[in-house]
Amino acid sequence: MNVSHASVHPVEEVPTTEGGVAVAEQQNVNVPMVVRMKDIQGMPGTVGGLALRVSQFVFGAAALSIIASTNDFSSVTAFCFLVAAAGLQTLWSISLAITDIYAILVRRSLQNYRLVCTFTIGDGVTSTLMFAAACASVGITVLIDNDLDNCSYNHCVQFETATGMAFICWFTTVPSFLLNFWSLASR
Amino acid sequence: MNVSHASVHPVEEVPTTEGGVAVAEQQNVNVPMVVRMKDIQGMPGTVGGLALRVSQFVFGAAALSIIASTNDFSSVTAFCFLVAAAGLQTLWSISLAITDIYAILVRRSLQNYRLVCTFTIGDGVTSTLMFAAACASVGITVLIDNDLDNCSYNHCVQFETATGMAFICWFTTVPSFLLNFWSLASR
């Protein structure tokens, strides 16, 4: 049983694994703090988690569409990397958002060990790629704008806006990763 | 008491907080798995942790000295940022390495809650800055080398070597951060 823990006795009294905590709460069973930690907002299957996923999708898609709307992004490797990373991030976030909506609608807990492990690794990889792409892009943008002062024949505004969106997207990915990692470690 | 946990009773029998685990081990008290997790290699106060800190210092210092040895790094903001981030990283790593050496020599545990919290935040900030600087630098390096093919009058070899060192430095910082965060969450 994946959610078993020395101090979590009430979970053993309910028949299913994944719905254990929700059923225990409905029955007003005194659930210890270790299990309560798993239900804090921002984790998978909560409204806060869904809000984070939707934000990630919106800002990732914004970064992707803004950078792709310029005709010369493909001449700079960092911007191509940003397109790829933002594409991967939006696909990952929309998948997890759909999973969260499903979990909220059918009141199912997503605190299964393998699921949380998958979410943690996925969030870690996508957020690292997104941050790397955003940093590489900001390096190029600052070079063009500040160091070379070359904005007259470059799409500086689009590049800077897309980079900003990528950073906001990363900021909303980090809480998802940290909360999942915390949930994994506190078992 | 900082290390108190619902399932950790033996720790309450010893008088000090920081030496609690060590004293419990000397007395052959049956310490549960939650406390054993805190002693795995790579965490502060262990030989593995010291090795990570020394690696971070060596690669951070290498990145710093290689990029600073070029005469035109200051014309690119990303390289200046790399110098600042590598400087901060080496200062942080050498401080923690000295702390680790002290802890190993006097056989003191560094698993105090506030200390681990400080190490986690410090590692998180320095590794994020180091990764950001490395990514920004690699963006510039790839732009100069691949996109513009401008290596004839730029120090491409030094820039690429410094960026590589910065990435290796980051790779050795991530385990420190993750182990500290894990240690914090598994209390």
Side-chain angles (χ1 to χ4, degrees):
Chain A
M1 188 165 159
N2 286 326
V3 293
S4 71
H5 188 281
S7 60
V8 185
H9 298 298
V11 181
E12 291 171 12
E13 294 170 3
V14 295
T16 57
T17 306
E18 292 180 357
V21 179
V23 175
E25 278 177 352
Q26 282 172 9
Q27 291 173 346
N28 278 332
V29 178
N30 185 22
V31 183
M33 206 196 75
V34 177
V35 176
R36 285 212 175 277
M37 286 296 297
K38 292 171 185 171
D39 290 313
I40 61 170
Q41 288 298 319
M43 286 184 179
T46 62
V47 178
L50 177 62
L52 279 177
R53 296 295 170 192
V54 171
S55 311
Q56 290 161 24
F57 174 73
V58 168
F59 290 112
L64 178 62
S65 49
I66 292 169
I67 197 84
S69 70
T70 60
N71 54 0
D72 56 351
F73 81 91
S74 57
S75 60
V76 178
T77 309
F79 294 146
C80 297
F81 181 41
L82 182 63
V83 169
L88 182 70
Q89 181 70 62
T90 48
L91 283 177
W92 173 255
S93 297
I94 195 71
S95 314
L96 275 273
I98 292 166
T99 313
D100 279 348
I101 290 170
Y102 167 76
I104 291 166
L105 286 180
V106 303
R107 295 175 181 277
R108 239 180 131 79
S109 170
L110 292 178
Q111 290 300 328
N112 176 288
Y113 182 79
R114 284 187 192 170
L115 273 181
V116 176
C117 210
T118 312
F119 294 162
T120 309
I121 294 171
D123 277 332
V125 170
T126 54
S127 69
T128 306
L129 288 178
M130 198 67 194
F131 187 59
C135 289
S137 301
V138 87
I140 304 290
T141 311
V142 171
L143 182 85
I144 296 172
D145 195 355
N146 289 26
D147 302 334
L148 303 178
D149 211 4
N150 236 351
C151 268
S152 50
Y153 49 95
N154 277 297
H155 300 95
C156 277
V157 177
Q158 281 99 316
F159 294 158
E160 282 161 10
T161 314
T163 308
M165 292 292 157
F167 270 110
I168 298 173
C169 179
W170 175 72
F171 274 117
T172 57
T173 320
V174 169
S176 293
F177 168 70
L178 291 181
L179 283 169
N180 277 323
F181 192 74
W182 185 280
S183 169
L184 211 61
S186 62
R187 263 156 213 280
Chain B
M1 189 165 163
N2 286 328
V3 293
S4 70
H5 187 281
S7 60
V8 185
H9 297 298
V11 181
E12 291 172 14
E13 295 169 3
V14 295
T16 58
T17 307
E18 293 181 356
V21 178
V23 175
E25 279 176 353
Q26 281 171 10
Q27 291 174 347
N28 279 331
V29 179
N30 185 20
V31 182
M33 207 197 73
V34 177
V35 177
R36 286 208 177 279
M37 286 297 297
K38 292 170 185 171
D39 290 313
I40 61 170
Q41 288 297 319
M43 286 183 177
T46 62
V47 178
L50 177 61
L52 280 176
R53 295 297 171 192
V54 171
S55 311
Q56 289 161 24
F57 173 73
V58 168
F59 290 112
L64 179 61
S65 49
I66 292 169
I67 197 85
S69 69
T70 60
N71 54 0
D72 56 351
F73 81 90
S74 57
S75 60
V76 179
T77 310
F79 294 146
C80 297
F81 181 41
L82 182 63
V83 168
L88 181 70
Q89 181 68 63
T90 49
L91 284 177
W92 173 255
S93 297
I94 195 73
S95 313
L96 275 274
I98 292 167
T99 315
D100 279 347
I101 291 170
Y102 166 76
I104 290 167
L105 287 180
V106 303
R107 295 175 178 278
R108 235 180 134 79
S109 170
L110 293 177
Q111 291 300 328
N112 177 288
Y113 182 78
R114 284 188 190 170
L115 273 181
V116 176
C117 210
T118 313
F119 294 162
T120 309
I121 294 170
D123 278 330
V125 171
T126 54
S127 69
T128 306
L129 288 178
M130 198 68 194
F131 187 59
C135 289
S137 301
V138 88
I140 304 290
T141 312
V142 171
L143 182 85
I144 297 171
D145 195 354
N146 288 25
D147 301 335
L148 303 178
D149 210 4
N150 235 350
C151 267
S152 49
Y153 50 96
N154 276 297
H155 300 95
C156 277
V157 176
Q158 281 100 316
F159 294 158
E160 281 161 11
T161 315
T163 308
M165 292 290 157
F167 269 110
I168 299 173
C169 179
W170 175 72
F171 274 118
T172 57
T173 321
V174 169
S176 293
F177 169 70
L178 290 181
L179 282 169
N180 278 323
F181 192 74
W182 185 279
S183 169
L184 211 62
S186 62
R187 264 157 211 281

